Amino acid sequence: MLKTMQTRRRAVVMAAALAALVPGLSLAQAKLKVAGIYTVPFEQQWAGRLHAALKAAEARGDIEYKASENVSNADYERVMREYATGGSQLIVGEAFAVEAAARKVAKDFPKTSFLMGSSGKPQAPNFSVFDNYIQEPAYLSGMVAGVMTKSNKIGLVGGFPIPEVNRLMNAFMAGVKETNPKVEFSVSFINSWFDPPKAKEAAFAMIEKGADVMYAERFGVSDAAKEKGKLAIGNVINTQSQYPETVIASALWHFEPSADRAIKLAKEGKFAAEDYGIYSMMKHKGSSLAPMGTFEKKIPADVLAKVKAKEKAIVTGSFTVVVDDTQPKSTAK
């Protein structure tokens, strides 16, 4: 009995010594404490990809994860500070509409690591930025859309005309033009990140003018296409299972390479300010073209072969999809 008590006492002393040597390590908790802060609900595709990647890390036992959804821009700084003050070691979120506030919080908590969606540059020593650079699969999905339209009219409905959205739309349109130079485009922005009814109405208007394929950058567009018997191209996540006769293809974003890198570096005490954008590209498995699934046999075999060849060229670096952040314009008359 005495020997057992001595063994336990030694274990407690050793654990206490280790905790003293390693900042942030407690006797009961050695996992990295990660917080996610999102201005939209978890179901929204962009935030959903972040949330899914961090939940996967949590399921593996790599992190302790807490998250807040539907945080208003006005409340974002307060929530960031609460997580940082509460001991979160890595904070993941979006700074697009709160750049100044988010960067101020990072300065006030130099020992906390921040990985934020941002149009700006990294900020030393602890503010890294990322974005969904999925223009490569967007281009490939455009190649498919170009041969699936019968009216040669394609509609695009986006959230806001910012670089993060513009580059995907422009890449999609370029892909369409490769397989069908005759296509005319209608482009619209709903000025919201999550307003399915508004996106649906915008899509209806384009369909009324002859568009038979819709680029669904926002939720709600595929619903309109389904109701009108038209086709759609998905963005960020694969929704074909919900729209098996509507969604032809989707450009998928995989946040896991970015999240896993940040977690590893934060755990090792090596996290530094850098641009994680490259980790969303296909060569890093940060994005991909979804399987055609229910449309596999409806797309001409020669087109599928051409898409596969282009995909290989992108991954090997022999073909580069141009990053065009300018606001896309309608070409339809």
Side-chain angles (χ1 to χ4, degrees), residues 187-199:
V187 179
S188 178
F189 296 92
I190 63 171
N191 294 315
S192 171
W193 290 129
F194 193 74
D195 192 341
K198 192 172 182 180

PDB file of all heavy atoms in Angstrom, residues 187-199:
ATOM      1  N   VAL A 187     -24.593  37.433 -64.466  1.00  0.00           N
ATOM      2  CA  VAL A 187     -23.923  37.431 -63.165  1.00  0.00           C
ATOM      3  C   VAL A 187     -24.685  38.319 -62.182  1.00  0.00           C
ATOM      4  O   VAL A 187     -25.077  39.444 -62.515  1.00  0.00           O
ATOM      5  CB  VAL A 187     -22.474  37.946 -63.290  1.00  0.00           C
ATOM      6  CG1 VAL A 187     -21.794  37.952 -61.931  1.00  0.00           C
ATOM      7  CG2 VAL A 187     -21.692  37.091 -64.285  1.00  0.00           C
ATOM      8  N   SER A 188     -24.889  37.813 -60.968  1.00  0.00           N
ATOM      9  CA  SER A 188     -25.609  38.575 -59.952  1.00  0.00           C
ATOM     10  C   SER A 188     -25.021  38.286 -58.569  1.00  0.00           C
ATOM     11  O   SER A 188     -24.552  37.172 -58.310  1.00  0.00           O
ATOM     12  CB  SER A 188     -27.094  38.208 -59.971  1.00  0.00           C
ATOM     13  OG  SER A 188     -27.800  38.893 -58.957  1.00  0.00           O
ATOM     14  N   PHE A 189     -25.059  39.292 -57.691  1.00  0.00           N
ATOM     15  CA  PHE A 189     -24.604  39.134 -56.303  1.00  0.00           C
ATOM     16  C   PHE A 189     -25.744  39.520 -55.362  1.00  0.00           C
ATOM     17  O   PHE A 189     -26.419  40.527 -55.588  1.00  0.00           O
ATOM     18  CB  PHE A 189     -23.381  40.009 -56.033  1.00  0.00           C
ATOM     19  CG  PHE A 189     -22.171  39.618 -56.837  1.00  0.00           C
ATOM     20  CD1 PHE A 189     -21.922  40.222 -58.069  1.00  0.00           C
ATOM     21  CD2 PHE A 189     -21.306  38.636 -56.394  1.00  0.00           C
ATOM     22  CE1 PHE A 189     -20.820  39.861 -58.837  1.00  0.00           C
ATOM     23  CE2 PHE A 189     -20.202  38.264 -57.147  1.00  0.00           C
ATOM     24  CZ  PHE A 189     -19.953  38.878 -58.377  1.00  0.00           C
ATOM     25  N   ILE A 190     -25.934  38.725 -54.312  1.00  0.00           N
ATOM     26  CA  ILE A 190     -27.057  38.974 -53.403  1.00  0.00           C
ATOM     27  C   ILE A 190     -26.644  39.807 -52.179  1.00  0.00           C
ATOM     28  O   ILE A 190     -27.477  40.130 -51.343  1.00  0.00           O
ATOM     29  CB  ILE A 190     -27.704  37.655 -52.946  1.00  0.00           C
ATOM     30  CG1 ILE A 190     -26.707  36.794 -52.149  1.00  0.00           C
ATOM     31  CG2 ILE A 190     -28.262  36.897 -54.148  1.00  0.00           C
ATOM     32  CD1 ILE A 190     -27.342  35.580 -51.478  1.00  0.00           C
ATOM     33  N   ASN A 191     -25.345  40.114 -52.054  1.00  0.00           N
ATOM     34  CA  ASN A 191     -24.829  40.898 -50.929  1.00  0.00           C
ATOM     35  C   ASN A 191     -25.187  40.293 -49.567  1.00  0.00           C
ATOM     36  O   ASN A 191     -25.608  40.978 -48.634  1.00  0.00           O
ATOM     37  CB  ASN A 191     -25.310  42.347 -51.022  1.00  0.00           C
ATOM     38  CG  ASN A 191     -24.722  43.051 -52.239  1.00  0.00           C
ATOM     39  OD1 ASN A 191     -23.532  42.933 -52.512  1.00  0.00           O
ATOM     40  ND2 ASN A 191     -25.554  43.759 -52.977  1.00  0.00           N
ATOM     41  N   SER A 192     -25.013  38.990 -49.494  1.00  0.00           N
ATOM     42  CA  SER A 192     -25.223  38.247 -48.248  1.00  0.00           C
ATOM     43  C   SER A 192     -24.462  36.932 -48.351  1.00  0.00           C
ATOM     44  O   SER A 192     -24.332  36.373 -49.437  1.00  0.00           O
ATOM     45  CB  SER A 192     -26.706  37.956 -48.021  1.00  0.00           C
ATOM     46  OG  SER A 192     -26.878  37.071 -46.920  1.00  0.00           O
ATOM     47  N   TRP A 193     -23.977  36.461 -47.211  1.00  0.00           N
ATOM     48  CA  TRP A 193     -23.311  35.165 -47.211  1.00  0.00           C
ATOM     49  C   TRP A 193     -24.302  34.025 -47.000  1.00  0.00           C
ATOM     50  O   TRP A 193     -24.000  32.880 -47.318  1.00  0.00           O
ATOM     51  CB  TRP A 193     -22.242  35.107 -46.119  1.00  0.00           C
ATOM     52  CG  TRP A 193     -21.048  35.965 -46.357  1.00  0.00           C
ATOM     53  CD1 TRP A 193     -20.487  36.862 -45.491  1.00  0.00           C
ATOM     54  CD2 TRP A 193     -20.234  36.035 -47.545  1.00  0.00           C
ATOM     55  NE1 TRP A 193     -19.397  37.470 -46.065  1.00  0.00           N
ATOM     56  CE2 TRP A 193     -19.218  36.978 -47.321  1.00  0.00           C
ATOM     57  CE3 TRP A 193     -20.286  35.377 -48.776  1.00  0.00           C
ATOM     58  CZ2 TRP A 193     -18.252  37.287 -48.274  1.00  0.00           C
ATOM     59  CZ3 TRP A 193     -19.322  35.688 -49.733  1.00  0.00           C
ATOM     60  CH2 TRP A 193     -18.330  36.626 -49.475  1.00  0.00           C
ATOM     61  N   PHE A 194     -25.444  34.337 -46.469  1.00  0.00           N
ATOM     62  CA  PHE A 194     -26.411  33.260 -46.217  1.00  0.00           C
ATOM     63  C   PHE A 194     -27.828  33.803 -46.273  1.00  0.00           C
ATOM     64  O   PHE A 194     -28.377  34.269 -45.285  1.00  0.00           O
ATOM     65  CB  PHE A 194     -26.154  32.610 -44.847  1.00  0.00           C
ATOM     66  CG  PHE A 194     -26.893  31.308 -44.658  1.00  0.00           C
ATOM     67  CD1 PHE A 194     -26.494  30.155 -45.307  1.00  0.00           C
ATOM     68  CD2 PHE A 194     -27.996  31.249 -43.820  1.00  0.00           C
ATOM     69  CE1 PHE A 194     -27.187  28.957 -45.134  1.00  0.00           C
ATOM     70  CE2 PHE A 194     -28.691  30.065 -43.631  1.00  0.00           C
ATOM     71  CZ  PHE A 194     -28.278  28.912 -44.291  1.00  0.00           C
ATOM     72  N   ASP A 195     -28.402  33.761 -47.462  1.00  0.00           N
ATOM     73  CA  ASP A 195     -29.784  34.177 -47.677  1.00  0.00           C
ATOM     74  C   ASP A 195     -30.350  33.348 -48.828  1.00  0.00           C
ATOM     75  O   ASP A 195     -30.529  33.834 -49.944  1.00  0.00           O
ATOM     76  CB  ASP A 195     -29.854  35.672 -48.007  1.00  0.00           C
ATOM     77  CG  ASP A 195     -31.287  36.209 -47.961  1.00  0.00           C
ATOM     78  OD1 ASP A 195     -32.231  35.386 -48.042  1.00  0.00           O
ATOM     79  OD2 ASP A 195     -31.466  37.437 -47.849  1.00  0.00           O
ATOM     80  N   PRO A 196     -30.614  32.042 -48.576  1.00  0.00           N
ATOM     81  CA  PRO A 196     -31.099  31.148 -49.631  1.00  0.00           C
ATOM     82  C   PRO A 196     -32.308  31.672 -50.398  1.00  0.00           C
ATOM     83  O   PRO A 196     -32.348  31.555 -51.633  1.00  0.00           O
ATOM     84  CB  PRO A 196     -31.409  29.846 -48.878  1.00  0.00           C
ATOM     85  CG  PRO A 196     -30.453  29.868 -47.731  1.00  0.00           C
ATOM     86  CD  PRO A 196     -30.401  31.304 -47.304  1.00  0.00           C
ATOM     87  N   PRO A 197     -33.315  32.281 -49.745  1.00  0.00           N
ATOM     88  CA  PRO A 197     -34.466  32.779 -50.514  1.00  0.00           C
ATOM     89  C   PRO A 197     -34.068  33.858 -51.530  1.00  0.00           C
ATOM     90  O   PRO A 197     -34.570  33.872 -52.657  1.00  0.00           O
ATOM     91  CB  PRO A 197     -35.395  33.351 -49.431  1.00  0.00           C
ATOM     92  CG  PRO A 197     -35.054  32.575 -48.204  1.00  0.00           C
ATOM     93  CD  PRO A 197     -33.572  32.381 -48.283  1.00  0.00           C
ATOM     94  N   LYS A 198     -33.156  34.746 -51.138  1.00  0.00           N
ATOM     95  CA  LYS A 198     -32.723  35.811 -52.036  1.00  0.00           C
ATOM     96  C   LYS A 198     -31.925  35.238 -53.210  1.00  0.00           C
ATOM     97  O   LYS A 198     -32.087  35.663 -54.362  1.00  0.00           O
ATOM     98  CB  LYS A 198     -31.875  36.824 -51.267  1.00  0.00           C
ATOM     99  CG  LYS A 198     -31.612  38.118 -52.034  1.00  0.00           C
ATOM    100  CD  LYS A 198     -30.929  39.151 -51.143  1.00  0.00           C
ATOM    101  CE  LYS A 198     -30.715  40.470 -51.882  1.00  0.00           C
ATOM    102  NZ  LYS A 198     -30.058  41.480 -51.009  1.00  0.00           N
ATOM    103  N   ALA A 199     -31.065  34.247 -52.923  1.00  0.00           N
ATOM    104  CA  ALA A 199     -30.284  33.605 -53.986  1.00  0.00           C
ATOM    105  C   ALA A 199     -31.205  32.858 -54.945  1.00  0.00           C
ATOM    106  O   ALA A 199     -30.994  32.857 -56.164  1.00  0.00           O
ATOM    107  CB  ALA A 199     -29.271  32.645 -53.367  1.00  0.00           C
TER     108      ALA A 199
END
